[in-house]
Amino acid sequence: MRRILLIAKRDYLMSIRNKTFIIGLIMAPVLFGGGFLGLALMNAQTDIADRHVAILDRTGRAAAAIIQAAQERNKKEIFNKKTGKQESPRYLFETIPADTQSPDAQRLAWSDRIRRGELFAVLEIGPNALHPGEEVEGTDPASLAKAAARRVNYYSNSTINDARSWLSDAVNAGLRRARLAQLGVDQNNFRDLLAFVSVEPMSLVARDERSGQIAAAVKKNEMADFIVPFAVMALLGMIVIMGASPMLTSIAEDKSNRVFEMMLGSATPFELMMGKVLASIGRSLTSSVFYVACATFLLYGMAMTGLVPLAIYPWFYVYLLADLMLLCGLAAALGASCGSPQDAQHLSVILLMPVMIPYFLFTPVMSQPNGAIATTLSLFPPFTPMLMLLRQAMPQSIPAWQPWVGLFGTLACTLVLTWAAARIFRVAILMQGKTPKAADLLRWAVRG
């Protein structure tokens, strides 16, 4: 044990005193969070220039109602209700007559106007848009013509913005007004008939265990309900990647430089591997303390500490240690089997798969955190640390037994993998000149 601690101390001190560790400690959150910060800054700098939209109405009755609905939305939604400052662009409309002789030439003409910046978009309202009837199916020419006649086509040179969604609401509101007018409904009743009632997300009602009183429901912050769990999972993944990735290349470089051949005279292969693993865990714990402290102070300064479920802090470090042990053991085995540092770079994808795959699975897990898919994935040992932590950070409570079962499975998988990695490390660390095949690694793991 003394030799393991000496090796761990040497590697840990050498790494944290390195300038690259300090730079990585600062740059990692910048790289991970820079994209979200950039999006936030871009959203804050919204283009509020007027947008000119042309309407070609083949029904002959919908354009006026659509323009009226859009103008009402202009008055209500483009200004901040508290400050009165304009936050969204104003939509200005014009109508263009339909060219029944050469419709394609007319579409080309307004497309050129859009390219020149004279128009932002064109809405082409189909002749049957007021009374679309049932959904048209089929791919024959007649079915396609019927489908085209019942829809509204949107022509624009811009793609990534909310313009189409904004105009879609105005178009549908206008079409409903035109339909009601055709039915003879008094215009004074349009407001009540077409009024939109919001559906507010509310928290579940619970009883206070100490006082016995029923706590009132409050409005949920859906953005916080998404950002907090994802940020906690992303922070765990970032720290694990920073801790496990360097170990793979470090062992491959030491093997290539024959450093281990000299060290094996005073320590066993298992002691060397475990020393490297403990040093990696020490680096990651150092990084985690720094990041968690910074995040806590930042939230405290923004008066948002209530958004973070403090009960998951212990679980965060438990999962961090379990994930690091699992990946560091795998990194030791892979690094020892590499013939050169270049080979280690190629195998880094395998090492990072248990961390990267959960990022692609967080959407179905967050949509149904207590569903069968989310439960199964979070109990699968390589994915348990990140996905189980994601579920625990969400407002929906999960059964109390699941984190413990997931942790037990992760620890069992870690012990098996570390045992196999130690056997592979013992054989592969002295092999030179030839990169072992997968069958060789499996044989060494089983037979030693």
Side-chain angles (χ1 to χ4, degrees):
M1 188 64 185
R2 179 175 173 274
R3 286 191 289 265
I4 294 177
L5 294 177
L6 286 174
I7 295 170
K9 179 181 177 181
R10 167 190 170 274
D11 282 15
Y12 173 74
L13 293 178
M14 286 183 61
S15 60
I16 65 171
R17 292 172 179 172
N18 198 320
K19 293 181 179 179
T20 57
F21 177 80
I22 306 298
I23 295 174
L25 194 68
I26 299 173
M27 291 301 297
V30 173
L31 295 176
F32 272 77
F36 296 101
L37 179 61
L39 289 175
L41 293 175
M42 291 176 65
N43 290 333
Q45 302 295 325
T46 306
D47 181 14
I48 59 174
D50 292 345
R51 294 177 177 178
H52 296 266
V53 179
I55 299 178
L56 189 149
D57 181 14
R58 299 192 185 278
T59 69
R61 298 180 178 181
I66 291 173
I67 293 174
Q68 182 182 2
Q71 288 174 344
E72 291 182 2
R73 287 177 61 85
N74 276 336
K75 295 177 182 179
K76 293 180 180 179
E77 300 184 7
I78 68 173
F79 296 100
N80 187 292
K81 295 181 180 179
K82 295 182 179 180
T83 64
K85 182 180 179 182
Q86 183 177 347
E87 296 180 335
S88 303
R90 179 186 289 104
Y91 288 85
L92 306 177
F93 294 87
E94 66 177 75
T95 58
I96 53 179
D99 186 349
T100 57
Q101 301 297 324
S102 53
D104 290 337
Q106 187 178 29
R107 294 186 181 100
L108 176 62
W110 75 52
S111 296
D112 289 337
R113 291 185 63 189
I114 293 173
R115 294 188 186 98
R116 291 194 298 268
E118 298 174 8
L119 288 176
F120 179 81
V122 173
L123 295 172
E124 183 182 10
I125 304 172
N128 295 336
L130 274 178
H131 305 286
E134 297 181 356
E135 187 73 27
V136 180
E137 298 180 358
T139 57
D140 56 284
S143 298
L144 294 176
K146 290 181 180 179
R150 66 190 299 275
R151 68 174 180 244
V152 177
N153 292 329
Y154 170 78
Y155 299 86
S156 179
N157 206 23
S158 180
T159 53
I160 306 178
N161 55 54
D162 60 348
R164 189 171 69 88
S165 176
W166 196 97
L167 291 171
S168 178
D169 291 341
V171 166
N172 281 281
L175 291 175
R176 285 192 287 268
R177 291 181 183 214
R179 294 180 189 127
L180 292 172
Q182 278 189 332
L183 295 173
V185 178
D186 188 351
Q187 291 188 5
N188 295 327
N189 296 325
F190 283 3
R191 184 178 300 275
D192 287 338
L193 290 172
L194 302 176
F196 175 81
V197 178
S198 61
V199 180
E200 299 290 348
M202 303 296 290
S203 64
L204 297 179
V205 176
R207 185 185 297 275
D208 192 312
E209 295 181 358
R210 295 183 178 179
S211 64
Q213 295 181 349
I214 299 177
V218 296
K219 184 178 178 181
K220 293 171 62 177
N221 187 336
E222 291 184 310
M223 182 60 68
D225 290 348
F226 168 79
I227 290 178
V228 171
F230 180 77
V232 172
M233 185 188 75
L235 179 62
L236 177 64
M238 180 184 70
I239 295 173
V240 169
I241 290 175
M242 291 176 59
S245 296
M247 185 172 177
L248 177 62
T249 54
S250 173
I251 291 180
E253 290 177 359
D254 287 348
K255 177 185 175 181
S256 178
N257 296 331
R258 298 182 181 273
V259 173
F260 283 113
E261 294 184 10
M262 296 180 288
M263 297 181 67
L264 285 173
S266 56
T268 66
F270 179 78
E271 291 171 341
L272 291 175
M273 190 192 79
M274 289 307 300
K276 291 279 187 180
V277 170
L278 291 180
S280 179
I281 292 175
R283 288 194 301 268
S284 298
L285 289 177
T286 303
S287 303
S288 67
V289 170
F290 174 77
Y291 293 137
V292 171
C294 290
T296 302
F297 281 118
L298 178 63
L299 292 173
Y300 179 79
M302 299 171 63
M304 298 174 64
T305 51
L307 297 178
V308 181
L310 300 179
I312 67 169
Y313 273 28
W315 283 105
F316 177 87
Y317 282 100
V318 168
Y319 289 137
L320 175 63
L321 292 175
D323 214 5
L324 280 171
M325 287 291 294
L326 190 149
L327 293 183
C328 287
L330 180 60
L334 293 176
S337 64
C338 293
S340 65
Q342 290 73 23
D343 293 339
Q345 293 177 0
H346 298 155
L347 293 177
S348 61
V349 176
I350 299 175
L351 178 65
L352 298 181
M353 283 178 63
V355 178
M356 299 307 299
I357 291 178
Y359 284 109
F360 300 102
L361 299 175
F362 84 92
T363 299
V365 171
M366 291 194 72
S367 61
Q368 291 185 333
N370 288 319
I373 295 177
T375 302
T376 303
L377 290 174
S378 61
L379 292 176
F380 184 60
F383 306 151
T384 295
M386 297 189 65
L387 294 183
M388 191 67 77
L389 185 67
L390 173 68
R391 296 175 63 208
Q392 290 177 265
M394 296 180 66
Q396 299 91 331
S397 59
I398 65 175
W401 61 268
Q402 291 187 9
W404 293 103
V405 172
L407 179 60
F408 177 80
T410 303
L411 293 178
C413 180
T414 300
L415 290 175
V416 172
L417 186 59
T418 304
W419 174 81
R423 296 169 72 87
I424 295 173
F425 184 90
R426 182 176 61 185
V427 178
I429 197 64
L430 294 177
M431 294 194 63
Q432 298 288 343
K434 180 182 178 182
T435 302
K437 299 179 181 179
D440 297 329
L441 298 179
L442 182 61
R443 187 176 68 253
W444 295 339
V446 174
R447 298 180 182 178

